Amino acid sequence: MNADALIRLILLGNRSPEEFAVLLARISLGVFFAISGGNKLFFASHYKEMYDTIAGAGIPFPYVMTYFVSSLEFVCGCLLIIGLLSSLCCVALLIDMIVAITTVELATIKAQSFIDWLDDFLYLPQVMYIIIFLWLISSGPGKLSVDHWIAFRFGLLDGVSPGQPDTPQAVGRRA
């Protein structure tokens, strides 16, 4: 590797493993939320813990909301795993995480200064989930997803018709 290539790598990164990173992020978050939601739906102790959290936060209709949030996490997690309706699922789970932060997590932060508060806030896993959801919404679900396959079949990729191969040259070209 020459010096220019090394400097370019240090300053700009390497986009070649990007598809793998998108796939890994989408599947790992999908598995996490599918398991989390499934546990709350199918195991009484997890359901009760979720119900107590929602009721304790003062969210209206805690019984309905417990099933709604648990179902949302389970269904959206499963859909993220296969990459179907990925952006919609990311938006739904992003809203779920914002509600979790504002209704439950913010009250747990007991910091003496703004810097300590910000440190504790950014340490919340929900904040990282939100950041990853925003990245997945803006980057798309990746080529190894049902969404990509559907978009290709309907000719929705930039400059690619259903009969054209899905190549980087074709995808970047405008019609």
Side-chain angles (χ1 to χ4, degrees), residues 117-171:
W117 184 91
L118 185 60
D119 179 49
D120 291 347
F121 177 76
L122 294 174
Y123 194 74
L124 295 173
Q126 293 90 342
V127 172
M128 188 56 61
Y129 302 151
I130 288 170
I131 292 168
I132 296 171
F133 289 138
L134 290 170
W135 175 55
L136 287 171
I137 291 166
S138 62
S139 72
K143 288 184 178 182
L144 297 174
S145 67
V146 175
D147 288 338
H148 187 270
W149 180 82
I150 291 170
F152 176 72
R153 287 288 153 227
F154 284 95
L156 299 175
L157 299 176
D158 292 341
V160 178
S161 66
Q164 271 184 313
D166 184 15
T167 63
Q169 296 82 14
V171 172

Side-chain angles (χ1 to χ4, degrees), residues 96-110:
D96 181 34
M97 293 299 97
I98 290 172
V99 171
I101 289 171
T102 57
T103 59
V104 177
E105 298 298 336
L106 285 180
T108 66
I109 299 176
K110 308 287 186 223

Side-chain angles (χ1 to χ4, degrees), residues 20-31 80 132-133 135-136:
F20 176 72
V22 170
L23 178 68
L24 182 63
R26 194 188 79 232
I27 289 178
S28 61
L29 276 179
V31 168
L80 273 179
I132 296 171
F133 289 138
W135 175 55
L136 287 171

Side-chain angles (χ1 to χ4, degrees), residues 29-116:
L29 276 179
V31 168
F32 171 76
F33 278 99
I35 292 171
S36 177
N39 280 341
K40 294 169 196 169
L41 284 173
F42 305 123
F43 295 101
S45 62
H46 292 279
Y47 172 84
K48 182 176 178 351
E49 184 180 342
M50 180 70 167
Y51 176 85
D52 292 344
T53 301
I54 287 177
I59 296 173
F61 312 109
Y63 179 77
V64 173
M65 290 306 293
T66 300
Y67 276 112
F68 175 76
V69 171
S70 301
S71 298
L72 176 94
E73 290 178 1
F74 179 70
V75 170
C76 288
C78 290
L79 291 174
L80 273 179
I81 292 168
I82 63 171
L84 178 60
L85 305 174
S86 301
S87 292
L88 182 64
C89 290
C90 285
V91 168
L93 291 169
L94 185 145
I95 292 168
D96 181 34
M97 293 299 97
I98 290 172
V99 171
I101 289 171
T102 57
T103 59
V104 177
E105 298 298 336
L106 285 180
T108 66
I109 299 176
K110 308 287 186 223
Q112 300 296 329
S113 69
F114 175 73
I115 295 296
D116 288 340

